[in-house]
Amino acid sequence: MDIRYLHTMVRVKDLDKTIAFFRLLGLEEIRRIDNEKGRFSLVFLAPPGQPECPVELTYNWDGDEGLPSDSRHFGHLAYRVGNIYEMCQKLRDAGVTINRPPRDGHMAFVRSPDNISIELLQEGDSLPPQEPWASMENTGHW
């Protein structure tokens, strides 16, 4: 049997805020479908040069009142980053809560505006422990 990864879909409540969040991670919009009849938009974002690895944001124009607490999201999305400390600082500077700081120089978790858990993994070997991350406590859950 032949199988190929296509995308990960997550439902979102505020499309503009969620797109802005994924742009902070470095993703770019690669395709958009606005369906007037179905009253929804599908926005596909992917890392630069990696259109085969998109996340699909599904936005229902008339709302989706169960979000973000109804657990209809995928468990988490994972992205490898060149420098986990720099990425976490960029997100933090933009007001994103670092739920699980990269104390080990290898892994962190954050959440999107729609409560989607995002895992960030350091490319290659873990970086040496660095403050303020090494002593930072968890915030919330991921």
Side-chain angles (χ1 to χ4, degrees):
M1 176 173 36
D2 195 15
I3 190 166
R4 180 179 177 195
Y5 171 80
L6 293 179
H7 64 265
T8 298
M9 183 278 277
V10 291
R11 298 181 199 286
V12 302
K13 194 166 185 171
D14 188 321
L15 186 59
D16 293 333
K17 282 185 182 177
T18 304
I19 289 172
F21 171 82
F22 281 102
R23 285 186 176 149
L24 280 171
L25 289 175
L27 277 65
E28 301 170 340
E29 185 173 325
I30 58 170
R31 189 170 83 213
R32 180 185 291 247
I33 299 166
D34 292 314
N35 186 307
E36 185 75 36
K37 185 176 179 182
R39 303 196 45 76
F40 65 86
S41 294
L42 306 178
V43 178
F44 294 83
L45 300 111
Q50 299 177 58
E52 72 280 6
C53 298
V55 58
E56 171 194 329
L57 306 180
T58 297
Y59 174 71
N60 293 306
W61 299 355
D62 298 321
D64 202 337
E65 293 308 313
L67 297 177
S69 63
D70 75 352
S71 301
R72 291 192 304 151
H73 301 296
F74 178 75
H76 70 265
L77 301 174
Y79 293 98
R80 182 173 47 216
V81 298
N83 185 306
I84 198 160
Y85 296 135
E86 288 176 4
M87 176 59 77
C88 286
Q89 189 62 56
K90 176 182 175 181
L91 295 170
R92 189 175 179 203
D93 289 348
V96 175
T97 299
I98 309 300
N99 299 104
R100 194 278 191 195
R103 290 182 294 274
D104 55 5
H106 179 71
M107 179 182 68
F109 276 89
V110 297
R111 286 194 175 258
S112 77
D114 291 287
N115 212 24
I116 300 160
S117 186
I118 310 293
E119 179 183 24
L120 303 172
L121 294 168
Q122 173 62 41
E123 182 175 11
D125 293 335
S126 298
L127 299 179
Q130 180 178 315
E131 292 298 340
W133 313 108
S135 60
M136 190 179 288
E137 297 291 323
N138 292 343
T139 302
H141 64 282
W142 61 91

